[in-house]
Amino acid sequence: MYFKRKAYDKLLEWKARFSDRYAVMLEGARRVGKSTIAENFARNEYKSYILLDFSKATEQMKACFDDIGNLDLLFLRLQAETGVTLFVHESLIIFDEVQLFPKARQAIKHLVADGRYHYLETGSLISIRRNVKDILIPSEEMKIQVYPMDYEEFCCATGQNYSILRHVFDSGHGMGQATNRKLMRDLRIYLAVGGMPQAVEAYISGRNFSEIDMIKRQIITLYEEDFKKIDPSGRLSSLYHSVPAQLARGSRKYRATTATGTRGGARTQELLFDLVDSKTVLPCWNATDPRVSLADTKDFNRFKLYVADTGLFVTLMFIDRPSTENDVYAKLLSDKLPANLGYLYENLVAQMIASTGRELYYHTWEKVGSTHYYEVDFLVSEGSKLKVFEVKSSGTGKHGSITEFARRFSKHVKNTYVLSQKDVSSEGTLFFKPLYLLPFLL
């Protein structure tokens, strides 16, 4: 089943503007749809293409790259091995899972300079040092991040009318209780299924939520297998599994020692950055001074982690049981789970912001004369100003942190928003928006 993906449009731009000077790399976690996007693009936009999948390439195929100095011979061997005819300036060669065969990635420099064909790479965990330590990383390589399907892509795939949300946003008015409930229930379906194409396909095919959950568990198992190749001790898997629990506790930062039960140290820090490189999690950095560039005040020692896909986050929440029953999903969809699930909606917001290509930032500071602290969940730069977001699971509740932030940094704040399941409203300069309108606030 083919889904319309935004990464495809970025590939079209690459082909039109940059393909004569750069190869393109589709970068992202396992199972986000990189290979499918690549092959559909090749099939639709080129006269012919060769797909080299290095997860199952034969030794004969790999041997084609032994003498990169003779490109005429390389292209003849590739055509002979695959049975595909290449046409100058009209053919694409795909290096799928290129991190498994670094020699092919290193050849990109010479292949692009040759200019006869275009080149597209896909890779998972490609930033991990062990995959690139012995090769020269080509500078002739553009990167396109592929994320799990965002809410717009999900709506397009499932036949929901996403454009109605734009009309709701443009109106600036609430839709009334009944319509808002319906739109929130639609969003909770995305919350539960997530944006991994296999899970979305299962949902469209009418599979029940227990079956969809099993598909998501299989994806998590794949991630765990990747983690064990990097860290056989299992600590990397523990760091990943710990994300929902740490968000549930409302910690000011992610604590690796809590996840692994060890004292931390340089090796644990290295594993944390391996986890971030895997694209399976989203780091949200503490910006120590929001009055200047968020990136310039990024605190590398204080950050939170979110799961890169909301559907996988839900599965991880219940991973301690053999399977997640349909009843649990039914309660989630009807908003009747008993626990305070503010952190679940926080993860959803993190994914929505990250899918636009933005880094995630938050800010925390001490309350004067108190052991407590203020915290705003997300900061987004727009020009020289900030959009500030606080996330609530149900009602709008108390919002002292975002109010104090707006007062403290008034010269630097463009808008402040409380995101929840409630309809549109406002309180002075503080805007209350339902979560499904977040994409239009970005």
Side-chain angles (χ1 to χ4, degrees):
M1 189 178 292
Y2 174 67
F3 300 124
K4 181 175 172 57
R5 302 295 301 274
K6 293 177 180 177
Y8 192 105
D9 295 330
K10 294 179 181 178
L11 285 173
L12 287 174
E13 182 182 5
W14 162 76
K15 185 187 179 192
R17 298 179 58 193
F18 305 109
S19 55
D20 59 334
R21 288 171 288 148
Y22 296 96
V24 66
M25 166 76 80
L26 293 182
E27 189 176 49
R30 293 278 296 273
R31 301 295 189 182
V32 294
K34 301 182 301 297
S35 300
T36 302
I37 295 168
E39 192 161 9
N40 273 289
F41 178 73
R43 187 181 298 115
N44 296 336
E45 309 299 335
Y46 286 88
K47 189 171 181 179
S48 71
Y49 70 95
I50 287 176
L51 172 63
L52 304 177
D53 183 350
F54 292 113
S55 69
K56 56 184 180 184
T58 63
E59 291 305 314
Q60 295 96 311
M61 185 69 74
K62 291 179 179 179
C64 294
F65 292 88
D66 286 344
D67 184 10
I68 201 66
N70 188 342
L71 291 182
D72 290 337
L73 179 59
L74 169 65
F75 296 137
L76 283 173
R77 292 180 70 180
L78 287 177
Q79 291 174 92
E81 289 287 340
T82 61
V84 174
T85 301
L86 293 172
F87 301 90
V88 174
H89 305 311
E90 296 183 274
S91 293
L92 178 72
I93 300 177
I94 301 172
F95 294 167
D96 198 17
E97 300 291 357
V98 72
Q99 81 281 355
L100 300 177
F101 191 54
K103 188 184 290 187
R105 190 178 181 194
Q106 184 168 260
I108 285 294
K109 177 180 179 66
H110 308 287
L111 295 170
V112 171
D114 173 74
R116 272 176 270 186
Y117 311 112
H118 295 168
Y119 302 91
L120 190 162
E121 306 162 88
T122 80
S124 306
L125 297 171
I126 58 174
S127 298
I128 302 299
R129 283 176 294 281
R130 69 189 60 213
N131 290 329
V132 297
K133 63 181 181 180
D134 296 323
I135 72 168
L136 179 68
I137 300 298
S139 57
E140 300 77 9
E141 188 179 81
M142 282 181 57
K143 289 186 173 67
I144 294 175
Q145 296 295 323
V146 182
Y147 302 94
M149 295 169 72
D150 67 16
Y151 190 45
E152 182 177 4
E153 290 171 324
F154 180 83
C155 288
C156 180
T158 57
Q160 296 181 48
N161 187 359
Y162 185 82
S163 62
I164 193 66
L165 298 181
R166 165 60 72 179
H167 296 309
V168 171
F169 176 76
D170 289 342
S171 76
H173 301 297
M175 289 294 101
Q177 196 173 32
T179 302
N180 179 64
R181 273 202 304 266
K182 192 269 179 191
L183 294 174
M184 272 308 310
R185 181 176 171 82
D186 291 344
L187 181 66
R188 284 196 296 272
I189 293 173
Y190 174 64
L191 188 76
V193 175
M196 304 305 280
Q198 281 180 289
V200 176
E201 183 174 353
Y203 172 72
I204 293 170
S205 301
R207 308 277 285 276
N208 65 43
F209 274 99
S210 285
E211 293 174 298
I212 295 169
D213 191 78
M214 288 306 299
I215 289 170
K216 292 188 291 176
R217 285 171 184 254
Q218 289 167 7
I219 294 171
I220 291 170
T221 299
L222 279 176
Y223 289 171
E224 290 170 339
E225 290 171 356
D226 283 340
F227 295 154
K228 286 174 184 174
K229 292 173 186 174
I230 299 164
D231 172 53
S233 74
R235 281 180 294 172
L236 191 50
S237 293
S238 297
L239 293 172
Y240 178 66
H241 278 269
S242 179
V243 172
Q246 295 214 29
L247 289 174
R249 282 194 289 270
S251 302
R252 297 172 70 177
K253 67 174 184 176
Y254 181 88
R255 299 183 184 278
T257 53
T258 300
T260 62
T262 62
R263 297 177 61 185
R267 177 55 181 156
T268 299
Q269 200 69 17
E270 186 179 338
L271 289 174
L272 267 172
F273 285 102
D274 282 348
L275 181 61
V276 170
D277 278 346
S278 76
K279 312 295 183 182
T280 60
V281 298
L282 303 170
C284 183
W285 307 99
N286 179 42
T288 58
D289 188 355
R291 290 169 294 192
V292 297
S293 165
L294 296 175
D296 288 346
T297 64
K298 180 192 297 186
D299 185 349
F300 286 95
N301 294 314
R302 179 169 289 183
F303 56 88
K304 296 184 180 183
L305 290 181
Y306 296 95
V307 177
D309 177 67
T310 175
L312 296 185
F313 184 90
V314 170
T315 295
L316 281 172
M317 286 171 58
F318 303 104
I319 202 74
D320 59 325
R321 58 187 77 186
S323 64
T324 308
E325 300 88 351
N326 281 308
D327 182 56
V328 171
Y329 279 98
K331 289 179 179 178
L332 173 61
L333 296 181
S334 58
D335 196 33
K336 291 182 178 176
L337 285 177
N340 176 10
L341 295 181
Y343 62 98
L344 173 55
Y345 290 99
E346 252 187 72
N347 200 95
L348 172 67
V349 170
Q351 180 180 344
M352 285 180 156
I353 295 173
S355 69
T356 66
R358 292 173 169 88
E359 278 196 314
L360 301 175
Y361 293 96
Y362 72 107
H363 181 64
T364 180
W365 69 104
E366 303 292 339
K367 285 186 178 181
V368 178
S370 172
T371 57
H372 298 286
Y373 59 93
Y374 291 111
E375 180 176 295
V376 288
D377 295 324
F378 297 102
L379 303 173
V380 172
S381 296
E382 186 168 301
S384 60
K385 299 281 189 177
L386 294 172
K387 289 184 174 180
V388 188
F389 297 93
E390 190 166 320
V391 184
K392 302 290 185 182
S393 60
S394 52
T396 51
K398 297 179 181 179
H399 40 79
S401 291
I402 198 168
T403 302
E404 178 61 19
F405 184 95
R407 185 198 65 78
R408 193 178 189 197
F409 301 105
S410 57
K411 292 180 180 179
H412 307 277
V413 173
K414 180 174 182 178
N415 295 114
T416 53
Y417 300 97
V418 173
L419 302 171
S420 73
Q421 300 191 65
K422 297 298 183 183
D423 206 350
V424 173
S425 64
S426 63
E427 190 176 292
T429 58
L430 181 61
F431 298 97
F432 300 92
K433 300 286 186 181
L435 288 149
Y436 52 78
L437 293 185
L438 173 60
F440 307 102
L441 299 174
L442 300 173

